[in-house]
């Protein structure tokens, strides 16, 4: 174990200890006499001395010392009861510290650095056991050092080193809800680093010089390297999780949702670990995204095909029991709780300790032994079963009244000009037969014999491993699937292997309801569906008839109505059309739900984020596993062809028969099957891809190769020279080689890679959004591109601060024009960017500016609107600025409901214009006036055109004068500025209508000096108004 460094004289320390290992800075020592079998006198003497003095060396006879060359003292930094224990610490020091210590020029600094590092490791080991007072102290230090608000939650505190100028800086890494912070104070030098998670672009493990375990956190413009973590893997996983979750929250335009397990849960280190475990289990077993892991138990499952108990781990969720063997690929099991009849405990014995019996439908039972905390697990499962059955009973009771419209045979539509109404009325009748059964001729004899052989193999498999969703899943199952599923069993096994059948059984009649509800619905998704209907397998007879087109339309429209977040995305029609060939409509719908929401999450949204993330993962795997192609084609547009492989599951690249085998493997093994096949195809053409200088030729080679891949039962087509080995023309052989070469790529590994690469993809989308916003605004304003870029970043920061530390009711967001701000956020932006003096008027003018800019009346301002406003204030001439200020003091910017303590605010003096004028078409006068003002504002660049301004009432003019007064009252040269804005007011009043002589009102006995006081100045101006009779004009 690590010890708080304790200083000892070097000469005294060496008398009672024997050095086992040593290097330039560390010594591994054994207590003299420990382990000696010869009975030496010195060992016996030391043992007696330890007994008498009750020395700690009796318990921990091994230790590690820090010894700086030339120093007269050493430091004890670790000890252990066995050589194996202390060797683990020795190896850590050699890997993480030894090479780094050579960079210190001053040897005295080595002791301070190592001692600080060891203290950090001790704190890390006891981090989960810290008392609340210690946690509060850490939070206070974090707040003081970085100026973060108290509401910024601290997630984890890690000890590590930050590399600066090839020198490690030992310190503390603070991981908060929204920031990564590092602090170091060593040898009088303070280092502070604060990085918002929203600015992180990549998190990766790299090698820097001789240091192999370096965590590199990249942000826009630079990267920072951290090393010497107690657990580097855990640090990488935590940092990646926090960056990923933050980007999901603050970049809503990507269309990604926050995982449900973290929505209503306080974000803590434990919550992150539980979420990480849940994501791994969901990916490995292909469970619905709404599930979360409840219990994890180590146990042994009885496997009849092995005639033995298989050791592994049992995972329970709200709706499933999942078992995975300890040895990868030996056996896995998936049991939906809807299939479970009972969960009971059997009598325990020495041979079968703590057994649990799970009985399922089909007269099958599963035995698990060695289940830890068996009674607690049984109680939890019993409660979940009771809740599940009660929920299912309620659902069935609510849907028994709905009778789905289903026909035993499909309706054939004949295009008669006089029968259009009947044609439309039958369009939504659901078919209960696969399309292949309606559009297939007699099967050839050799193919029929092959199908019968496959069916026999599957029947043998069912007898040995079980049938249904709770069959034992082993390597034998994967081999059978790679050979191609028989057509007669394809629909059943698709539903079984993907677990789509459980969802369908749980929601009877749901598809028919969706079909009915989607009747006559017209949305963007339905329009896109109609455009793509005839592009789905147009060469297949099933989709050359109206019955096939109608079936595809019903499935796609039903899914668009079911999941409005996704709606419809191109390539869904390809997948659905292939599924319709062998499965019924309702089965296809639930298969589509499973593929889009469970097996390929985020693939089919508007931004296809999931597919882009997997493309980034594929490129990373390509560089690692096929380095020749990955490095040579790093700049090649391989994504233009590989993206379609992932979106359509190779169905658009392979012949139909071969594509069906790939689809079989995908529904059985998930995303790893697609990655392995894609890597195998590129690996097969390594020589061609590396030698080709033309990108088009390289892409053509891949496409032509896949077009020539045939199923084993079809006649093979010989490949051209250089296209690849001949055995790759068989899809079964291709899948076999893909599994043999890249079978170690697992769902868990892919999920870890996705978390990291999702950060890069989301930041790329953010950069694209910013570029588009700047490109739209730049031609319309006089601000430079750099100024607009800074403005965009400033608005983004304001938006993020509201998301981070707001009141939780922030309504701002992101649109195609960039970030949008609500009124409270805009007030902060106004106070920071307005060129006018801050004062009592600031809040009022900011609110009026927001009202005038809010053209759509949705209480949000876009980046474009804010840029135009600043362009007016900073780049336009004085006349335009005064006109803008004038508009801020008339409706709609100035509301009659505004608080005004002026005694002049009365029904007789406040306004001469009605608040609302009724129009024949129902449009209010203010709405019309607002539209006209915005049109005038857009045309303000025509400086030569003198547009007439709307008249101003007495109350509005008083408000205008008060604003001008507040703008300049804090200025040093008050007299000059009052004179200036007085002259401006007079210009407003005159505008060619004021006579040369100014006559005061009867209440003024003398000629009042206009420079003496602001109130006097305002009163004098009002006298001018009444004396000249200009009130009706204003």
């Amino acid at each position: 174990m690590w010890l708080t460094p304790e200083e000892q004289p070097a000469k005294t320390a060496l008398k009672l200890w024997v050095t086992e290992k040593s290097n330039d800075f560390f010594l591994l020592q054994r207590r003299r006499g420990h382990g000696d079998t010869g009975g030496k006198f010195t060992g016996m003497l030391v043992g007696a001395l330890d007994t008498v003095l009750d020395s700690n060396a009796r318990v921990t006879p091994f230790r590690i010392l820090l010894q700086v060359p030339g120093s007269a003292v050493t430091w004890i930094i670790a000890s252990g009861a066995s050589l194996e224990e202390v060797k683990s610490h020795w190896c850590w020091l050699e890997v993480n510290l030894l090479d780094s210590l050579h960079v210190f020029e001053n040897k005295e600094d080595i002791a301070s650095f190592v001692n600080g590092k060891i203290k950090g490791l001790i704190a890390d080991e006891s981090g989960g056991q810290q008392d609340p007072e210690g946690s509060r102290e850490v939070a206070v230090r974090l707040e003081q050092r970085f100026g973060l608000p108290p509401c910024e939650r601290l997630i984890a505190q890690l000890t590590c080193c930050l590399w600066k100028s090839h020198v490690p800086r030992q310190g503390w890494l603070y991981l908060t809800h929204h920031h990564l912070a590092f602090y170091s104070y060593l040898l009088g030098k303070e280092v502070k680093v604060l990085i918002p998670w929203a600015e992180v672009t990549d998190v990766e493990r790299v090698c820097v010089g001789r240091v192999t375990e370096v965590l590199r956190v990249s942000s826009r413009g630079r990267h920072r390297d951290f090393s010497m973590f107690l657990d580097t893997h855990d640090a990488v996983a935590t940092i990646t999780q926090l960056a990923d979750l933050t980007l999901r929250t603050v970049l809503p335009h990507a269309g990604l949702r926050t995982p449900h397990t973290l929505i209503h849960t306080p974000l803590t280190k434990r919550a992150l670990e539980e979420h990480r475990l849940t994501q791994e289990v969901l990916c490995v077993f292909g469970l619905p995204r709404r599930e979360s892991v409840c219990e994890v138990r180590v146990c042994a499952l009885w496997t009849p095909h092995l005639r033995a108990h298989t050791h592994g781990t049992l995972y329970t969720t709200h709706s499933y029991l999942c078992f995975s063997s300890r040895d990868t690929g030996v056996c896995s099991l998936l049991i939906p709780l809807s299939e479970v009849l009972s969960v009971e405990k059997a009598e325990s014995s020495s041979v079968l300790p703590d057994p649990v019996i799970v009985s399922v439908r089909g007269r099958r039972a599963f035995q698990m032994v060695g289940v830890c905390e068996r009674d607690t697990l049984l109680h939890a499962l019993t409660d979940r079963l009771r809740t599940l059955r009660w929920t299912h009973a309620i659902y069935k009771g609510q849907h028994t009244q709905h009778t789905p419209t289903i026909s035993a045979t499909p309706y054939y539509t004949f295009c008669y000009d006089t029968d259009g109404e009947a044609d439309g009325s039958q369009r939504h009748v659901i078919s209960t037969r696969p399309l292949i059964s309606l559009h297939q001729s007699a099967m050839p004899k050799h193919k029929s014999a092959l199908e019968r052989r496959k069916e026999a193999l599957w029947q043998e498999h069912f007898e040995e491993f079980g049938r249904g969703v709770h069959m034992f899943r082993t390597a034998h199952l994967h081999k059978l699937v790679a050979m191609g599923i028989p057509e007669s069993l394809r629909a059943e096994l698709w539903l079984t292997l993907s677990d789509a059948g459980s969802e369908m059984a749980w929601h009877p009649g749901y598809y028919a309801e969706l079909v009915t509800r989607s009747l006559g619905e017209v949305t963007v998704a339905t329009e896109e569906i109609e455009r793509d209907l005839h592009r789905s397998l147009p060469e297949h007879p099933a989709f050359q008839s109206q019955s096939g087109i109608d079936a595809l339309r019903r499935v796609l429209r039903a899914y668009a109505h079911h999941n409005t977040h996704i709606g419809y995305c191109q390539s869904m029609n390809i997948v659905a059309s292939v599924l319709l060939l062998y499965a019924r409509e309702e089965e296809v719908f639930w298969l589509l739900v499973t593929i889009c929401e469970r097996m390929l999450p985020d693939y089919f949204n508007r931004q296809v984020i999931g597919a882009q993330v997997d493309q980034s993962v594929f490129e990373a795997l390509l560089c690692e596993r096929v380095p020749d192609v990955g490095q040579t084609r790093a700049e090649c547009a391989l994504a233009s062809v590989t993206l379609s492989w992932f979106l359509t599951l190779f169905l658009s690249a392979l012949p139909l028969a071969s594509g069906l085998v790939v689809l079989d493997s995908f529904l059985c093994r998930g995303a790893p099957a697609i990655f392995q096949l894609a890597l195998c195809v590129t690996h097969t053409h390594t020589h061609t891809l590396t030698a080709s200088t033309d990108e088009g030729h390289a892409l053509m080679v891949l496409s032509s190769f896949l077009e020539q891949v045939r199923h084993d039962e079809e006649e093979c087509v010989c490949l051209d020279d250089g296209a690849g080995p001949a055995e790759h023309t068989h899809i079964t052989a291709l899948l076999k080689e893909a599994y043999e070469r890249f079978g170690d790529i697992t769902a868990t590994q892919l999920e870890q890679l996705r978390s990291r690469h999702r950060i890069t993809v989301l930041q790329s989308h953010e950069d694209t959004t910013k570029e588009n916003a700047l490109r739209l605004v730049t031609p319309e304003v006089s601000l430079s591109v750099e100024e607009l870029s800074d403005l965009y970043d400033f608005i983004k920061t304001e938006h993020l601060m509201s998301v981070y530390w707001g009141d939780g009711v922030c309504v701002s967001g992101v649109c195609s024009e960039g970030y949008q701000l609500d009124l409270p956020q805009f007030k902060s932006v106004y106070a920071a960017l307005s060129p006018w003096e801050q004062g009592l008027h600031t809040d009022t003018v900011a609110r009026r500016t927001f009202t005038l800019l809010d053209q759509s009346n949705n209480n949000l301002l876009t980046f474009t609107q804010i840029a135009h406003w600043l362009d007016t204030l900073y780049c336009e001439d004085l006349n335009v600025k005064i006109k803008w200020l004038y508009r801020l003091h008339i409706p709609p910017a100035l509301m009659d409901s505004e608080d005004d303590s002026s005694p002049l605010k009365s029904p007789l003096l406040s306004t001469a214009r009605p608040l609302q004028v009724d129009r024949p078409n129902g449009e209010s006068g203010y709405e019309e006036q607002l539209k006209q003002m915005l049109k005038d504002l857009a045309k303000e660049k025509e400086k030569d055109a003198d547009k007439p301004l709307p008249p101003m009432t007495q109350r509005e003019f008083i408000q205008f004068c008060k604003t001008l007064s507040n703008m300049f009252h804090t200025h040093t040269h008050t007299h000059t500025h009052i004179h200036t804005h007085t002259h401006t007011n007079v210009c407003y009043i005159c505008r060619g209508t004021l006579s040369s002589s100014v006559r005061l009102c009867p209440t003024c006995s003398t000629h009042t000096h206009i420079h003496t006081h602001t109130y006097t100045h305002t009163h004098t101006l009002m006298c001018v108004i009444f004396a000249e009779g200009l009130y009706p004009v204003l």
Side-chain angles (χ1 to χ4, degrees):
M1 61 181 175
W2 299 109
L3 300 177
T4 302
E6 179 182 352
E7 183 178 322
Q8 288 189 357
K11 294 183 179 180
T12 303
L14 294 176
K15 292 180 180 179
L16 302 178
W17 297 81
V18 178
T19 300
E20 298 284 341
K21 288 186 176 184
S22 66
N23 52 42
D24 294 341
F25 299 98
F26 300 102
L27 301 175
L28 190 157
Q29 296 183 339
R30 171 181 55 83
R31 188 71 166 177
R32 190 179 297 275
H34 180 80
D36 291 340
T37 57
K40 296 182 180 180
F41 176 77
T42 54
M44 297 173 61
L45 180 61
V46 172
L49 183 62
D50 291 339
T51 302
V52 173
L53 300 179
D54 194 23
S55 172
N56 290 333
R58 296 175 55 202
V59 183
T60 55
F62 297 94
R63 69 179 185 178
I64 298 177
L65 299 180
L66 167 66
Q67 180 176 270
V68 180
S71 176
V73 297
T74 60
W75 290 266
I76 305 174
I77 60 176
S79 65
S82 64
L83 184 61
E84 291 74 14
E85 178 184 359
V86 79
K87 270 187 175 181
S88 63
H89 295 333
W90 179 265
C91 293
W92 190 93
L93 292 171
E94 287 185 327
V95 172
N96 294 279
L97 281 184
L98 187 59
D99 292 335
S100 306
L101 298 181
H102 291 284
V103 303
F104 287 91
E105 297 179 358
N106 187 357
K107 300 300 182 181
E108 296 179 358
D109 299 339
I110 295 177
S112 299
F113 176 80
V114 175
N115 290 342
K117 184 63 188 176
I118 299 304
K119 291 177 181 178
L121 294 177
I122 295 173
D124 270 1
E125 288 181 334
S126 59
Q129 308 296 328
Q130 289 183 353
D131 57 292
E133 294 184 1
S135 300
R136 285 196 294 269
E137 291 178 0
V138 173
V140 170
R141 287 198 299 268
L142 177 66
E143 179 183 348
Q144 293 175 346
R145 289 170 178 172
F146 296 96
L148 298 176
C151 58
E152 181 74 356
R153 182 187 296 273
L154 178 65
I155 306 299
Q157 179 188 14
L158 308 174
T159 177
C160 66
C161 291
L162 171 66
W163 288 84
K164 294 194 67 176
S165 302
H166 306 287
V167 177
R169 303 278 184 172
Q170 172 62 33
W172 291 97
L173 187 67
Y174 302 94
L175 306 180
T176 71
H177 197 169
H178 302 108
H179 294 84
L180 178 149
F182 176 83
Y183 180 83
S184 173
Y185 186 82
L186 187 64
L187 305 177
K189 294 184 179 180
E190 186 180 52
V191 178
K192 289 183 181 181
V193 175
L194 185 65
I195 309 174
W197 294 123
E199 296 298 321
V200 173
T201 58
D202 195 9
V203 180
E204 56 181 337
R205 299 171 75 166
V206 297
C207 297
V208 179
R210 290 183 293 179
V211 183
T212 57
E213 290 292 326
V214 175
L215 170 58
R216 173 167 293 175
V217 179
S218 302
S219 57
R220 287 183 172 84
R222 64 177 304 178
H223 61 263
R224 295 171 178 86
D225 295 333
F226 302 91
S227 65
M228 303 182 194
F229 292 94
L230 182 63
D231 187 346
T232 305
H233 177 76
D234 179 71
V236 172
T238 304
I239 291 175
T240 303
Q241 271 187 294
L242 287 171
D244 181 23
L245 292 173
T246 300
L247 290 175
R248 285 173 176 265
T249 304
V250 303
L251 302 180
H253 61 279
L256 301 183
R257 297 177 176 178
T258 303
H260 75 283
T261 53
L262 298 175
I263 293 179
H264 302 295
T265 304
L267 197 58
T268 60
K269 185 69 164 58
R270 181 176 180 181
L272 290 177
E273 293 172 352
E274 292 177 352
H275 172 67
R276 193 186 313 160
L277 174 63
T278 295
Q279 292 301 112
E280 291 179 1
V281 172
L282 297 187
C283 290
V284 170
F285 294 97
L287 302 183
R289 295 289 150 173
R290 64 176 180 271
E291 296 294 320
S292 57
V293 175
C294 300
E295 293 93 13
V296 180
R297 297 286 190 275
V298 176
C299 64
L301 174 68
W302 173 254
T303 49
H305 57 281
L306 297 177
R307 303 295 189 270
H309 284 93
T310 301
H311 292 274
T313 306
L314 174 68
Y315 304 94
T316 68
T317 70
H318 294 293
S319 305
Y320 289 87
L321 295 176
C322 310
F323 177 84
S324 178
S325 60
R326 185 165 52 194
D327 298 328
T328 305
V330 173
C331 176
S332 64
L333 181 66
L334 179 65
I335 307 177
L337 289 183
S338 57
E339 295 288 318
V340 174
L341 299 178
S342 64
V343 181
E344 303 171 331
K345 61 180 181 180
E347 184 177 354
S348 181
S349 65
S350 58
V351 180
L352 301 176
D354 298 322
V356 174
I357 307 298
V358 180
S359 302
V360 299
R361 290 187 175 91
R363 298 182 179 180
R364 297 191 65 193
F366 300 93
Q367 182 192 70
M368 303 174 193
V369 298
V371 181
C372 301
E373 300 180 8
R374 179 179 60 168
D375 294 339
T376 304
L377 177 64
L378 289 177
H379 179 72
L381 290 177
T382 302
D383 288 344
R384 271 184 229 125
L385 279 173
R386 186 183 303 111
T387 303
L388 202 66
R389 290 166 182 168
W390 177 73
T391 305
H392 194 198
I394 292 178
Y395 181 87
K396 291 182 66 177
Q398 292 176 346
H399 292 76
T400 51
Q401 299 177 356
H402 301 282
T403 303
T405 306
I406 298 178
S407 65
T409 58
Y411 180 83
Y412 294 89
T413 303
F414 299 94
C415 298
Y416 293 106
D417 294 338
T418 59
D419 199 26
E421 295 182 1
D423 188 19
S425 64
Q426 296 294 330
R427 174 178 291 184
H428 304 282
V429 177
I430 300 174
S431 173
T432 59
R433 294 176 59 185
L435 296 180
I436 197 69
S437 63
L438 308 172
H439 301 276
Q440 186 181 43
S441 57
M443 186 179 298
K445 291 184 179 180
H446 72 279
K447 188 175 181 180
S448 177
L450 182 60
E451 285 288 304
R452 287 195 296 270
R453 288 198 297 271
K454 288 183 180 180
E455 291 173 0
L457 290 175
W458 277 99
Q459 291 300 330
E460 294 176 1
H461 178 83
F462 292 150
E463 293 176 2
E464 185 174 3
F465 298 93
R467 189 168 188 168
V469 67
H470 37 66
M471 72 169 66
F472 290 101
R473 307 187 184 211
T474 63
H476 185 265
L477 173 66
H478 298 161
K479 292 179 181 178
L480 281 180
V481 172
M483 294 170 57
I485 299 177
E487 293 184 359
S488 60
L489 297 174
R490 186 158 265 153
E492 175 190 346
L493 287 173
W494 280 353
L495 294 171
T496 297
L497 298 176
S498 66
D499 188 44
S502 299
E503 291 288 320
M504 185 175 67
W506 184 254
H507 301 89
Y510 179 64
Y511 173 68
E513 291 181 11
L514 289 176
V515 171
T516 303
R517 280 187 282 178
S518 62
L519 292 176
E521 188 178 44
V522 179
T523 62
V524 175
T526 58
E527 293 177 356
E528 294 176 352
I529 289 172
E530 292 298 326
R531 285 198 299 266
D532 289 345
L533 284 177
H534 295 277
R535 304 174 187 171
S536 310
L537 297 184
E539 71 283 354
H540 198 282
F543 297 97
Q544 294 174 357
S545 66
Q546 192 63 32
S547 59
I549 297 296
D550 288 343
L552 181 60
R553 176 187 290 110
R554 288 190 292 269
V555 170
L556 294 178
R557 288 173 67 97
Y559 184 81
H561 192 86
H562 160 75
N563 190 338
T564 55
H565 181 69
I566 293 178
Y568 171 76
C569 178
Q570 285 187 343
S571 75
M572 289 173 62
N573 59 319
I574 303 295
V575 177
S577 59
V578 174
L579 295 173
L580 277 170
L581 294 177
Y582 295 94
R584 296 182 295 110
E585 282 186 38
E586 186 177 12
E587 296 170 343
V588 171
F589 169 78
W590 288 110
L591 285 169
L592 197 62
V593 170
T594 302
I595 292 173
C596 296
E597 301 174 12
R598 292 165 59 170
M599 306 183 76
L600 297 176
D602 305 321
Y603 255 60
F604 300 100
N605 56 19
R606 289 291 175 183
Q607 306 291 343
V608 290
I609 295 293
Q612 293 186 44
V613 171
D614 276 2
Q615 283 296 293
S616 182
V617 172
F618 174 69
E619 292 173 3
L621 290 174
L622 199 63
C623 294
E624 176 186 348
R625 309 300 290 271
V626 194
D628 294 338
V629 176
Q631 297 172 4
T632 306
R633 290 295 169 185
E635 302 298 330
C636 177
L638 279 180
S640 60
V641 63
T642 57
L643 181 61
S644 66
W645 295 354
F646 285 81
L647 280 173
T648 65
L649 308 177
F650 280 92
L651 294 174
S652 62
L654 291 168
L656 180 59
S658 302
L660 284 168
V661 180
V662 176
L663 183 60
D664 297 340
S665 297
F666 167 74
L667 292 174
C668 178
R669 298 195 291 119
I674 304 299
F675 277 93
Q676 293 163 11
L677 180 58
L679 289 171
C680 185
V681 170
T682 52
H683 179 270
T684 302
H685 296 83
T686 300
H687 177 72
T688 304
L689 294 175
T690 54
S692 175
T693 58
D694 183 12
E695 296 181 0
H697 177 262
L699 301 180
M700 184 182 65
V701 169
L702 294 176
S703 299
S704 61
F705 169 77
L706 291 174
E707 290 174 357
Q708 296 174 8
V709 173
R710 294 292 184 267
H711 193 19
D712 292 344
E713 60 198 41
E714 296 179 322
E715 182 181 355
C716 294
V717 179
C718 296
L719 298 174
D720 298 333
D721 294 338
E727 62 266 17
H728 289 173
T729 56
H730 294 287
I731 186 60
T732 301
L734 190 61
L735 289 174
K736 180 181 178 181
E737 181 174 350
Y739 185 77
E740 291 175 350
R741 286 186 178 274
F742 308 104
D744 57 331
I745 298 177
T746 62
T748 302
Q749 180 185 358
L750 289 180
E751 184 60 25
Q752 294 172 354
L753 290 172
R754 283 169 172 170
S755 296
R756 173 197 159 192
H757 287 272
R758 190 180 295 113
I759 298 172
T760 305
V761 171
L762 290 176
Q763 292 290 15
S764 176
H765 273 266
E766 168 64 11
D767 294 340
T768 302
T769 302
K770 179 178 178 179
E771 292 172 1
N772 293 337
L774 297 182
R775 187 175 63 253
L776 290 174
V777 177
T778 301
E780 302 176 357
V781 297
S782 301
L783 298 173
S784 65
V785 177
E786 292 76 14
E787 292 171 335
L788 288 174
S789 178
D790 293 340
L791 174 62
Y792 186 94
D793 294 337
F794 184 79
I795 294 175
K796 175 183 176 181
T797 302
E798 186 63 35
H799 166 76
L800 295 182
M801 290 176 63
S802 296
V803 174
Y804 293 164
W805 308 309
D807 54 7
V809 238
C810 174
V811 296
S812 62
V814 182
C815 65
S816 59
E817 301 178 9
Y819 288 88
Q820 296 176 302
L821 301 183
D822 57 12
L823 179 57
Q825 295 169 342
F826 178 75
K827 287 182 178 180
S828 300
V829 172
Y830 179 92
L833 301 181
S834 174
W836 298 323
E837 286 282 350
Q838 305 299 311
L840 299 176
H841 68 287
T842 302
D843 187 78
T844 302
V845 176
R847 176 165 38 80
R848 294 175 185 172
T849 302
F850 183 89
T851 303
L852 194 58
L853 291 175
D854 186 15
Q855 303 177 14
S856 57
N857 295 325
N858 62 351
N859 295 322
L860 290 174
L861 294 185
T862 64
F863 167 72
T864 303
Q865 293 169 327
I866 298 175
H868 279 288
W869 165 65
L870 287 177
D871 182 63
T872 300
L873 297 187
Y874 282 95
C875 302
E876 295 291 354
D877 57 24
L878 181 60
N879 188 39
V880 175
K881 297 177 183 178
I882 294 178
K883 288 181 179 179
W884 173 261
L885 191 62
Y886 183 92
R887 287 191 173 93
L888 293 179
H889 295 81
I890 59 177
L894 177 64
M895 298 296 182
D896 192 64
S897 59
E898 289 188 14
D899 294 335
D900 186 7
S901 57
S902 172
L904 294 177
K905 184 178 181 181
S906 64
L908 296 178
L909 297 177
S910 62
T911 181
R913 182 171 53 242
L915 293 178
Q916 183 172 351
V917 179
D918 294 333
R919 305 282 180 170
N921 56 3
E923 186 181 45
S924 67
Y926 279 117
E927 293 176 354
E928 183 181 6
Q929 188 178 23
L930 175 60
K931 294 178 181 178
Q932 185 62 38
M933 289 181 182
L934 294 175
K935 291 179 181 179
D936 294 343
L937 182 61
K939 298 177 182 178
E940 282 298 331
K941 292 187 180 295
E942 302 175 4
K943 300 182 178 63
D944 297 334
D946 188 12
K947 302 293 182 181
L949 294 173
M952 181 180 285
T953 65
Q954 177 184 356
R955 170 181 171 261
E956 295 163 358
F957 181 72
I958 293 176
Q959 294 291 332
F960 176 78
C961 293
K962 288 173 62 177
T963 300
L964 290 180
S965 174
N966 290 328
M967 280 184 181
F968 302 113
H969 82 283
T970 58
H971 202 279
T972 306
H973 307 287
T974 308
H975 181 85
T976 304
H977 284 273
I978 288 181
H979 175 78
T980 301
H981 87 262
T982 301
H983 178 71
T984 304
N985 291 343
V986 172
C987 292
Y988 269 114
I989 298 170
C990 296
R991 296 194 57 87
T993 59
L994 187 63
S995 64
S996 57
S997 60
V998 178
R999 299 183 300 275
L1000 301 181
C1001 65
T1003 57
C1004 297
S1005 57
T1006 59
H1007 193 89
T1008 308
H1009 199 281
I1010 203 167
H1011 306 299
T1012 57
H1013 196 269
T1014 303
Y1015 175 78
T1016 305
H1017 154 233
T1018 305
H1019 183 77
T1020 303
L1021 290 176
M1022 295 306 302
C1023 292
V1024 172
I1025 296 173
F1026 290 117
E1028 289 294 321
L1030 296 177
Y1031 180 77
V1033 177
L1034 295 176

